[in-house]
Amino acid sequence: MIKVTVMYPYTEGARFDHAYYRDRHMPMVKARLGSACAYYTVEKGLAGRAPGSPPAFVAMCAFICDSAESYLAASQEHGAEIRGDIANYTDIVPVVQLSEVVVERSDR
């Protein structure tokens, strides 16, 4: 199992429309990824570790997928549409990481 994390670094004055991201962009991406993506999560950064500091990332999402190959094939097929929608919610360049999920749930 893999996790694809997309992180939007906090930048003073940058634009990020959380409602659009949550309600329109992410469901569209999930639909395009189809069965390559089991589920996704969305996070909104609140603060950094120090009191009153900004978050390291204004937003993050994660796609949980069976394999890197299935994710990469699906995202490549629809990449232009997915990337083209980014301007509708932000002017931040995202940071992307693919990781192997070693522990999915710690309560098991």
Side-chain angles (χ1 to χ4, degrees), residues 1 10 17 23-24 31 45 58-60 67 72-73 83 87 103 107:
M1 176 181 302
Y10 174 84
D17 183 339
D23 298 337
R24 300 196 58 198
V58 68
M60 296 188 293
S67 72
L72 292 170
R83 286 186 306 276
V103 175
D107 61 344

Side-chain angles (χ1 to χ4, degrees), residues 15-99:
R15 177 181 63 84
F16 198 95
D17 183 339
H18 288 277
Y20 184 96
Y21 186 63
R22 179 193 64 232
D23 298 337
R24 300 196 58 198
H25 181 76
M26 291 302 292
M28 179 271 291
V29 175
K30 171 64 172 106
R32 298 310 179 267
L33 294 177
S35 63
C37 175
Y39 64 92
Y40 66 86
T41 63
V42 175
E43 299 175 43
K44 180 178 181 179
L46 298 177
R49 184 175 221 165
S53 67
F57 299 96
V58 68
M60 296 188 293
C61 75
F63 298 98
I64 306 302
C65 305
D66 288 332
S67 72
E69 295 78 18
S70 64
Y71 167 79
L72 292 170
S75 64
Q76 188 171 42
E77 180 179 351
H78 300 286
E81 179 183 10
I82 292 167
R83 286 186 306 276
D85 192 49
I86 293 173
N88 290 321
Y89 63 88
T90 192
D91 52 8
I92 301 170
V93 176
V95 175
V96 179
Q97 177 171 306
L98 273 73
S99 305

